[in-house]
Structure formats: structure tokens, C-alpha cells
Amino acid sequence: MAISFFIEYAGEVVQFPVNPEEIKLKKSSNNSSVDIVQLGEVTEFSKTSLAETSFSSFLPATKEASYVQTKNKFWKPSQYIDFIEKIRKEQKACRFIVSDTKINMLASIENFEYSYEWGANGDVNFDIEFKEYREHAARFVKIVQQVTKPNKPVISGSGIQNGGTNKVVTQGC
């Protein structure tokens, strides 16, 4: 099985033409340590941090090489750069997928760096970094205030009685 790298954005799925040598996925926690008297240092668990991943590869100028995976839907390097920059400029999340792995996440593109090097025959080297994106939105809550009427005292035969209780109010209470 060949592993492939994809970005999905606005209904368009784009495959990176050349796989990187390696990819690392970083998942960490926001745990903290506190000192407790008579117990010492303990760990307080917290929610997990956002996952991060990054890799380096290159965008080939031609599709003739055997390592190019996108022979049927080959783009020039400038088209990949424009696609990635479009996602960054629109400040929206994309889906980053690595087939045959557990990497499939809604993500933002945190860094994208590319370079043209001498002797590369039009190939473009790049580094890209993704950070997991969690959906969030403000919830609008309508606050309804209930008007409460104060209890009026009720006068009974032996004293004043509060409308909320059945106890008789007498002298000295």
C-alpha cells in the first residue's frame, strides 16, 4: 500500500505529488504539576493540546519521474503554492489526510515555506506545518427574566402570617 498525502479544501482534494521522507505527529497534554503538603508533587490532568504535524518535500517541475504520485492529475509547482496560499489567506481550516494512517484532521496551515534552489530544474522545495483545528462558535443565549411578586402578609386571627408558610407569627417571634 502506498501512503499518500492530501489536502481537502472547499470541495477540492489535492494530493501532494511526492511523499516526504518522514512525518511526525505531535500530541501533547496541558497537564501541570502542583506541590501538595504531606504528599509532594502531583500531576493535574487537563485537556489535550492541539495536534501538530509538519514535513518537508518538494514539488517537481515534471511528472516523468517514478516517485511522482500524481501522474493523472499533475499540477505545476506554482499551482500547489497558489492553492496553499489561498487556504492561508482565507483563514479557514482544511482537512489534512495521510492515507493508510490515523492522520485525518481538520487543520490550519501554520507555516508554509518554499524555496527555489540552483540545480533543481524547476523543482520547488517546501516545508509545511499543520495544526489541528477544533470547531468552536459563540452560543447565543436568550435570558428571560421572570418577574416574581413579593408575598403579601396575610393577617390571621392571632397574628400576621407570611403567605409562603403556614406558621403563625406571634409576639416575640
Side-chain angles (χ1 to χ4, degrees):
M1 290 183 272
I3 292 176
S4 300
F5 291 69
F6 300 92
I7 294 180
E8 178 189 4
Y9 180 72
E12 189 169 10
V13 178
V14 175
Q15 181 180 2
F16 286 98
V18 178
N19 285 350
E21 289 183 21
E22 75 171 353
I23 183 168
K24 291 184 179 180
L25 184 66
K26 178 183 175 185
K27 290 186 174 185
S28 56
S29 299
N30 284 328
N31 299 339
S32 61
S33 295
V34 293
D35 284 326
I36 297 180
V37 178
Q38 299 292 325
L39 191 57
E41 185 178 15
V42 296
T43 300
E44 283 188 339
F45 290 104
S46 181
K47 298 284 184 184
T48 59
S49 296
L50 298 172
E52 297 178 26
T53 186
S54 62
F55 62 91
S56 300
S57 187
F58 70 98
L59 303 168
T62 63
K63 64 180 179 180
E64 280 72 39
S66 62
Y67 49 78
V68 176
Q69 296 197 10
T70 56
K71 294 189 187 295
N72 295 335
K73 191 177 178 184
F74 182 78
W75 283 4
K76 293 180 180 179
S78 62
Q79 291 173 290
Y80 286 99
I81 293 168
D82 291 344
F83 180 72
I84 292 169
E85 287 299 329
K86 175 184 173 184
I87 297 169
R88 286 174 32 85
K89 286 179 185 170
E90 292 182 4
Q91 297 179 343
K92 294 189 178 174
C94 62
R95 182 155 299 277
F96 177 63
I97 304 163
V98 181
S99 66
D100 297 329
T101 69
K102 292 185 176 187
I103 301 173
N104 182 341
M105 64 182 185
L106 200 56
S108 60
I109 299 174
E110 292 296 304
N111 291 307
F112 178 58
E113 185 177 327
Y114 59 94
S115 63
Y116 301 91
E117 296 180 14
W118 297 111
N121 300 327
D123 295 346
V124 177
N125 297 321
F126 72 91
D127 299 316
I128 192 164
E129 184 179 322
F130 294 96
K131 188 170 193 174
E132 181 182 15
Y133 177 81
R134 290 185 187 147
E135 294 277 350
H136 63 282
R139 287 191 222 164
F140 294 96
V141 179
K142 184 176 181 181
I143 299 173
V144 179
Q145 291 184 339
Q146 295 179 348
V147 178
T148 57
K149 296 180 182 178
N151 293 335
K152 294 183 181 179
V154 177
I155 300 176
S156 66
S158 61
I160 299 176
Q161 186 177 14
N162 186 343
T165 64
N166 291 329
K167 296 182 180 178
V168 176
V169 178
T170 61
Q171 189 176 10
C173 286

